[in-house]
Amino acid sequence: MSAKRLQGRTALITGAGSGIGQGIAELFAAEGARVALLDLDEAKGLLTAARIRDAGGEALFIRADVSVEAEVRGAVDAIVGAYGGIDHLVNNAGIVLVKPLEECTEAEWDQVMAVNLKSIFLTVKHTIRLLKQSANATIVNIGSVSSFVGQGHTPSYVASKGAVMMLTKALALDYARAGIRVNCICPGITDTPLFRFHVSKTANPKATLESRAARVPLGRFLTPRDIAKAALYLSTDDSSGITGIAHLVDAGYLAAAEWDNRQI
Ligand code: NAP
């Protein structure tokens, strides 16, 4: 049996009560990490932590809003109290606002930026002294295919995800000599509650779902596990030479400017 790849490490994963974050937490725990799950949603966070423990893993749920500095600082203190340090940070929590720009309120715009982007500033600010003490430190930020291309009726989301990719590169440079690798994963369409919410806000959800599915070259939506495997890769020695990249996991979505699935 091969050794667990994150044995003895501690990972902090934001937005870990649902979707992609939950998938990352479960895979990291299965690979031996102690996982600290941050989420706004207490019920889903506690359930995820319980499921990880039932499977033999080590998990701690902390309810915190990643866009509020005092809550992030408090969560980090709680993790240090429980586990002593942090080796891997995964900035996954995110929200989407589906509205054309002129219909967005200032508060809505600020909230998307705060949850998707400012959260990374806050988590890195409060974990960096711990990451610097780790011999295996990594940061993985979850961007999106929208880090590269636009999508309709989600201007604040697209702007925030473009910035997540650039913040990743800036942090990779600043912390390279401290031995901390910082990378970004840019998922394509991943079947999660957030994706289903986004589709539900479109004029014809059924048609939207069908047209989105038809545009994916691999012929399926991604799963949280698909993204989690990339997060594991970027958090282990398998990616030891990699920092500052934006790693697409998109089932081929951005490979085509035009693509007709009837051709194959
Ligand atoms: P999800 O299922 O909605 O999970 C996100 C989790 O983050 C939820 O549990 C949510 O709690 C939590 N959260 C939201 N705001 C928070 C806050 N202020 N503080 C702490 N936790 C908060 O979404 P997902 O699809 O897995 O998305 C995860 C990440 O992947 C996001 O950054 C998203 O932009 C990115 N992404 C997703 C897709 C996709 O197709 N699904 C594609 C590209 C990128 P609540 O339920 O209480 O809001």
Side-chain angles (χ1 to χ4, degrees), residues 14-24 38-42 44-45 62-68 71-72 91-96 111 114-116 119 141-147 151 157 160-161 164 185-198 222 224 227 249:
T14 70
S18 173
I20 291 171
Q22 184 180 62
I24 294 172
L38 256 66
D39 207 290
L40 265 186
D41 191 317
E42 187 157 19
K44 287 192 293 185
I62 301 162
R63 190 199 169 280
D65 184 334
V66 292
S67 67
V68 177
E71 296 194 22
V72 171
N91 286 303
N92 164 79
I95 54 174
V96 66
Q111 195 200 5
V115 176
N116 294 5
S119 60
N141 300 321
I142 303 298
S144 167
V145 286
S146 300
S147 301
Q151 65 178 11
Y157 182 81
S160 73
K161 291 298 181 178
V164 167
I185 295 173
C186 297
I189 302 173
T190 311
D191 201 356
T192 68
L194 179 136
F195 169 61
R196 294 283 165 170
F197 167 79
H198 186 167
L222 293 151
I227 313 304
V249 182

Side-chain angles (χ1 to χ4, degrees), residues 46 75 118:
L46 286 171
K118 187 175 90 170

Side-chain angles (χ1 to χ4, degrees), residues 8-225:
R9 316 266 188 87
T10 297
L12 162 54
I13 300 147
T14 70
S18 173
I20 291 171
Q22 184 180 62
I24 294 172
E26 289 180 343
L27 182 59
F28 278 29
E31 286 291 345
R34 297 174 289 259
V35 290
L37 320 179
L38 256 66
D39 207 290
L40 265 186
D41 191 317
E42 187 157 19
K44 287 192 293 185
L46 286 171
L47 205 65
T48 304
R51 218 164 60 196
I52 288 171
R53 281 191 225 105
D54 287 349
E58 172 64 43
L60 169 72
F61 170 69
I62 301 162
R63 190 199 169 280
D65 184 334
V66 292
S67 67
V68 177
E69 181 160 23
E71 296 194 22
V72 171
R73 193 193 303 117
V76 171
D77 288 347
I79 297 164
V80 172
Y83 297 143
I86 295 173
D87 303 284
H88 305 291
L89 170 62
V90 180
N91 286 303
N92 164 79
I95 54 174
V96 66
L97 176 68
V98 188
K99 278 183 184 180
L101 186 138
E102 74 274 18
E103 290 176 18
C104 298
T105 66
E106 186 177 0
E108 286 173 331
W109 178 276
D110 286 347
Q111 195 200 5
V112 173
M113 289 297 165
V115 176
N116 294 5
L117 181 62
K118 187 175 90 170
S119 60
I120 300 178
F121 157 61
L122 294 175
T123 59
V124 173
K125 179 177 173 184
H126 291 286
T127 60
I128 199 69
R129 71 194 156 84
L130 304 165
L131 294 170
K132 283 180 176 173
Q133 289 165 15
S134 168
N136 305 290
T138 59
I139 300 172
V140 170
N141 300 321
I142 303 298
S144 167
V145 286
S146 300
S147 301
F148 294 92
V149 297
Q151 65 178 11
H153 289 176
T154 50
S156 54
Y157 182 81
V158 173
S160 73
K161 291 298 181 178
V164 167
M165 179 171 72
M166 294 314 299
L167 179 58
T168 299
K169 292 173 190 286
L171 297 178
L173 298 180
D174 284 352
Y175 300 122
R177 296 302 170 95
I180 303 168
R181 296 187 296 107
V182 189
N183 293 295
C184 173
I185 295 173
C186 297
I189 302 173
T190 311
D191 201 356
T192 68
L194 179 136
F195 169 61
R196 294 283 165 170
F197 167 79
H198 186 167
V199 170
S200 77
K201 294 287 172 192
T202 62
N204 184 342
K206 189 168 174 288
T208 303
L209 207 56
E210 285 169 6
S211 72
R212 295 275 169 92
R215 271 208 55 198
V216 183
L218 282 187
R220 66 172 178 89
F221 294 139
L222 293 151
T223 64
R225 185 85 174 178

